[in-house]
């Protein structure tokens, strides 16, 4: 069920989300090179890795890299 939820989150992030993030930009670059289906799978995996690191480190998600610099 987690796999399905991650894929659905990637699909929504690429198709319906209006707020732009570095993850979306990365996935759209992958989509240009490899196709939208592979980009969704790659983004789902990347989201899983990010969520796991957030869980292990107990950190919050940041939309941009600018927040880390400040």
């Amino acid at each position: 069920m987690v796999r399905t939820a991650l894929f659905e989150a990637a699909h929504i992030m690429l198709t319906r989300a209006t707020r732009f993030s570095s993850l979306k930009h990365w996935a759209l670059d992958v989509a240009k090179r490899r196709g939208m289906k592979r980009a969704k799978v790659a983004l789902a995996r990347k989201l899983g890795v990010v969520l796991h690191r957030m869980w292990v480190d107990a950190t919050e998600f940041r939309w941009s890299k600018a927040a880390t610099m400040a």
Side-chain angles (χ1 to χ4, degrees):
M1 289 197 303
V2 173
R3 179 179 169 203
T4 303
L6 286 172
F7 183 80
E8 190 66 28
H11 173 74
I12 295 301
M13 198 169 179
L14 286 175
T15 58
R16 296 189 182 182
T18 56
R19 188 170 182 186
F20 215 77
S21 68
S22 58
L23 285 174
K24 184 173 181 176
H25 178 70
W26 175 82
L28 289 175
D29 286 343
V30 172
K32 286 179 190 174
R33 292 189 312 266
R34 305 288 295 186
M36 188 59 91
K37 288 182 182 180
R38 287 188 187 204
K40 287 177 187 176
V41 172
L43 181 58
R45 183 182 185 282
K46 194 165 201 124
L47 284 172
V49 170
V50 167
L51 288 172
H52 181 259
R53 292 308 309 166
M54 287 171 53
W55 181 39
V56 169
D57 296 342
T59 56
E60 293 183 11
F61 180 74
R62 293 179 301 269
W63 278 95
S64 64
K65 293 179 183 179
T68 60
M69 301 289 179

